[in-house]
Every structure is written in C-alpha cells, then in structure tokens.
C-alpha cells in the first residue's frame, strides 16, 4: 500500500483499521508531533522581555548580524514536545523487550535511588581524592565482586560500553604481545560473533580471520586449532554464544589458543546466563568485558550511559589501563598518571578522561547487594528458564536452526517455518508491534537465515510470558494458514508510524532541519 513520504498513515487502509483518520492526525490522546521548527516559527519568541539597552560592543565587529534561526517556543510548547516524544519511546518500563543478545532487564528503582545519593550523584571527578574516599571504596567493592563472580585476577572499570570494553581488553592483549616483542597481526572471530568483535579487531589494525560454526551452532576446538598460527594474536569468542548456546569446547579452545601463544578474549555480553554458575576464569579466558547495562541491570543507551568493565587474567593484569585505584592502609588512592604507576604495572595507556560511569557502578552494586549471591545465581537460572519456556511454547510452530534442544538465556528461531507463506521475518516482527510487543532481535546472528533471537530475561512473569507466547502463536498460525496476509505486509498498522525505509534512514540520515525554500526564493 502507498504511504506518504514521512511514513505517516494516510487514512483508513484496505483493512479500514488505520488509527489516524482524524482531522488532527492525532489518534486518541496520542498526538501527532511536528518538529519544533514547525511548532514555533523562528520569528516567534517564547518570552516577552524588553529590548536590552545597547551596551558597548565588545566583540570587535564579530557580532551576529542575522537571526540564529532557532524556533521561538514557550515553555509549555517545548515541554509538551519532549514529553510526547518520550511517550513514543518504547522502554523496558513499558513492556516486554525481548531483544536477544541485548539483555533488556528491569532497571530496579532502588538502583536509581542509590545513584542519586548526594555522595555519589553530586561529586566531580576533579575533587580531591580525600573527599571521595567512599566513592572510590564503592568502585573497589564492585571490582571485588566482579572478580569473584568471574574468577579473574584484575579489572578495569573505565570502559563505557561493551564495545569499548572489547577495545580495552584487546589493547591489553596487544600490549602483552608487544612486551614480548611479538608482532602478531591476526585475530580469529567465529562467524556467529557480534559485529563489534570483528569491528574492534579491524579498528586496531588486525586482520580478521573468521571461523565457521559447526552444524550445531557451536565452535569446534579443531576448527580453532586449524586457524591458529604464529601470526595469530587472539581469538574473540562469545560464550554463551549468540545462538544462545554454551560453547561445549571452550576449555579446550582456551588450551589450544594458549599453546599457540595467543590470548583468549571472551565477549561476556551474555554473562547474564551464567552468573553464579560458571566462572570465566576457570575456562581459561584472558580478558572479558561485562556489560553492566545488561547483566547488572543498569539502563541501556538512551536510558543512560553504558558501562563495560573488563576483567583480566594474570597474564594481562599488568597492562590494565590508567586510572586504577590501590589501597594504602585504610585509604584508597587513584593512580591517574604514568608517573604514579605502581610496581608490576605497565598500563597500555588511558581509555577515558576519568574513571568510568560512576552512576552505573552504584546501580550495579545495588543490584548485586539487593540480590545477594544466591539471588544473582537465581536470576541467571530464571533467565535461562524463561527462554526455554518460550522455546517450549513455540517450538511446534516455529523452527529452531540447531535442532530441538535446550538453550541458555535466549532462544533462536530461523525462518524455515515461514517458507512459502510470503511472510518474512521482518513482516512477522512488524506484526508483533500491532500486538503490543517490541520485536525480538531479527536477522542476527548472521549464520542463521531470517534469525529471530528472543531473550525474555528473568524480569518477565509467567503471565507476561504466556501473553507473549500467545500472541506469537496466533501470528505464527495466521502466517501459515491465514488468507489475509495484510496483517503482516501492512504492519505495523496501529503504530504512530508505518513501515519506514530503515535502510535509507541508516544510510542517509537526515539530521538537520532546513527551512523549506519558497519557490520564488529558489528562482
Ligand atoms: C551488546 C553486545 C555487545 C556490545 O555491547 P555494547 O555495550 O552495546 O557496546 C557485544 N557483544 C555482544 C554479544 C553483545 O550482546
């Protein structure tokens, strides 16, 4: 069906179900939202103040002559604009957010309360260290817990996302090789890896050598061994992997990697599945990032900054970046410059201006303390249970690429079951929006055709899982047997925007508003 250029619903569709065939374009109390520039003209002003008396110009002739061209808005106009936009933003606080690999779990309000305590929320990284001893102590306690949970030797808190953590860990690996005088230039990455893994390796100038997955979706130690050689610096492996499977040969992979003089980087974004069950250090891992915004419930992306601490093995510990903290008697000291570096440390340098995301450290530690070690283990168990509950609820209708066997914290379906229906993974996902669900991760991992990767996390109750499964079962049956495919092809029919050209939006983002040029002016 035709849609106008901005993807706004054009009125009742073939189905007659368009939500916005209203005079205003509003749909009930859900308002159509023009751009700020369209609300307030640049000639308008939101405040009414007397003209200032001309003072003496002190800019030496550099004063702006023309108007800035900002929209003039009143406070209620500006406020309503942003409040309405925020209501369009789907969030974990609004409903199930089953994005596989992303671990969108509930962000407990207790975490928020603790992060706002003045002693944590109102401090500045340039304050004298003696005035922030409590904050540094909190970072120490958090580090201690992360080391305990991972069974690793050292840690850096400063990376600000998982991908940033990958860079930190790989820089440690590079520094370790350089310290030995070796110039290895290849990094092994399995086919099923998250895109950030090869991107990190390539960004650092490494050549990426990919390792094929086995028919069962896991990586064989034999395949790793075959790819190893004197030029291989490291392997980057995700465990549990992005197919939702625990790598059964991970310990053997670590052994062959070390035997070949390389290091083992583990992408720990899926740590939520194994907290309290397996310690990565026991598997032979040398470096791993932990996404506090996944496993330890701190907000993601638009909801707040991420945090990607990296844990390190004995071999890599000396290369951890500045800054780091050390204990001196009953005080803590931040080592911030190369001149202060303590014995045994040879940091690869510095990654960020300050010490990382303090607010995230407070939230993550609050999550840990409020759960306790038994609670964290149970969270992992429940995350795995919930994923398998969904798997069991859908496996008769949807197909699993690696056979009908238990998964870890996320369940992966492919699109084989949609064959000959004319419905694609994308259509199916869009139809989920009309049913009130944020779609799962689609078309990732790339090793699976038409992938649908569902991760419910431990946050969801049985009732919400049942509702989710019920909706997907209904849609799956409609896709297979229903005669009216418009439910899929026209979806989403009930969202404020319809099917947008997402590729174009990503490739040619229009980030700037320009005033429409009138015909006369253009001529
Ligand atoms: C989320 C994720 C990353 C990247 O983490 P960011 O914090 O988004 O940078 C890397 N690998 C895997 C497997 C992930 O799920």
């Amino acid at each position: 069906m035709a849609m106008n250029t901005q993807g706004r619903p054009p009125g009742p569709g073939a189905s007659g179900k368009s939500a916005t065939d209203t005079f205003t374009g509003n749909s009930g109390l859900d308002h159509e939202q023009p751009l700020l520039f369209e609300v307030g003209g640049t000639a308008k002003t939101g405040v009414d103040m007397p003209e200032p008396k001309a003072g003496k110009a002190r800019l030496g002739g550099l004063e702006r002559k023309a108007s800035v061209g900002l929209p003039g808005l009143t406070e209620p106009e500006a406020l309503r604009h942003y409040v309405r936009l925020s209501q369009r933003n789907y969030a974990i606080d609004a409903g199930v957010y089953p994005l596989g690999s992303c671990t969108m779990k509930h962000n407990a309000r207790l975490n928020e309360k603790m992060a706002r305590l003045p002693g944590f929320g109102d401090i500045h990284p340039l304050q004298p260290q003696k005035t922030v001893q409590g904050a540094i102590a909190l970072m120490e306690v958090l580090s201690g817990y992360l080391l305990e949970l991972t069974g690793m030797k050292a840690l850096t808190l400063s990376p600000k996302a998982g991908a940033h953590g990958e860079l930190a860990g790989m820089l440690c690996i590079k520094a370790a090789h350089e310290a030995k005088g070796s110039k290895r230039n290849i990094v092994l990455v399995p086919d099923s890896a998250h895109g950030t893994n090869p991107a990190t390796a390539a960004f650092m100038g490494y050549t990426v050598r990919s390792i094929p997955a086995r028919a069962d979706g896991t990586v064989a130690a034999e395949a790793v061994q075959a790819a190893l050689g004197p030029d291989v610096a490291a392997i980057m492996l995700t465990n549990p992997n992005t197919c939702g499977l625990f790598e059964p040969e991970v310990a053997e992979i670590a052994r062959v990697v070390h035997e070949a003089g390389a290091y083992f980087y583990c992408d720990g974004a899926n740590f939520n599945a194994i907290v309290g069950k397996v310690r990565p250090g026991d598997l032979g891992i040398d470096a791993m990032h932990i996404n506090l915004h996944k496993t330890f419930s701190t907000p993601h992306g638009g909801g707040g900054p991420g945090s990607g601490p990296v844990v390190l093995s004995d071999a890599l510990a000396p290369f951890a970046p500045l800054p780091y903290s050390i204990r001196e008697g009953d005080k803590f000291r931040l080592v911030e410059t190369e001149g202060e570096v303590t014995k045994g440390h040879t940091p690869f340098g510095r990654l960020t201006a300050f010490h990382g995301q303090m607010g995230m450290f407070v939230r993550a530690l609050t999550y840990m303390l409020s759960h306790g070690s038994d609670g964290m283990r149970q969270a992992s168990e429940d995350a795995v249970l919930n994923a398998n509950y969904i798997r069991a609820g859908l496996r008769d209708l949807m197909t699993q690429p690696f056979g009908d066997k238990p998964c870890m914290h996320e369940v992966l379906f492919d699109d084989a079951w949609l064959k000959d229906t004319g419905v694609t993974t994308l259509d199916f996902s869009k139809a989920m929006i009309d049913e009130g669900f944020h779609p799962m991760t689609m078309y990732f991992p790339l090793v699976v055709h038409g992938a649908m990767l569902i991760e419910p996390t431990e946050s969801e109750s049985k009732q919400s899982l049942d509702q989710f499964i019920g909706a997907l079962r209904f849609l799956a049956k409609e896709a297979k047997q229903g005669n009216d495919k418009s439910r899929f092809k026209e979806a989403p029919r009930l969202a404020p925007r319809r099917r947008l050209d997402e590729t174009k939006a990503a490739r040619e983002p229009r980030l700037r508003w320009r005033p429409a040029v009138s015909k006369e002016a253009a001529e």
Side-chain angles (χ1 to χ4, degrees), residues 101 161-163 166 194 196-197 238 242 267 269-270 289 291 293-294:
S101 209
E166 290 174 32
H194 195 266
T196 50
N197 295 187
T238 308
T242 57
D267 180 330
N270 292 335
H289 71 263
N291 304 59
H293 48 290
K294 293 180 182 171

Side-chain angles (χ1 to χ4, degrees), residues 70-106:
L70 293 176
L73 297 164
T74 64
E75 183 171 295
E77 282 173 328
L79 192 71
R80 283 177 182 165
H81 177 77
Y82 288 110
V83 168
R84 284 176 189 156
L85 287 186
S86 76
Q87 290 168 337
R88 292 273 163 90
N89 196 12
Y90 193 80
I92 186 67
D93 291 344
V96 181
Y97 212 141
L99 274 187
S101 209
C102 293
T103 311
M104 308 297 283
K105 65 165 79 173
H106 173 60

Side-chain angles (χ1 to χ4, degrees), residues 57-80:
R58 284 179 296 173
L59 291 173
L62 293 174
E63 299 86 355
R64 175 182 280 282
K65 303 275 184 316
S67 112
V68 189
L70 293 176
L73 297 164
T74 64
E75 183 171 295
E77 282 173 328
L79 192 71
R80 283 177 182 165

Side-chain angles (χ1 to χ4, degrees), residues 188-201:
L188 307 182
V189 181
D191 275 351
S192 60
H194 195 266
T196 50
N197 295 187
T200 299

Side-chain angles (χ1 to χ4, degrees), residues 429-441:
S429 301
K430 296 294 184 193
M432 283 172 67
I433 296 175
D434 283 338
E435 295 293 337
F437 291 104
H438 192 287
M440 67 292 262
T441 292

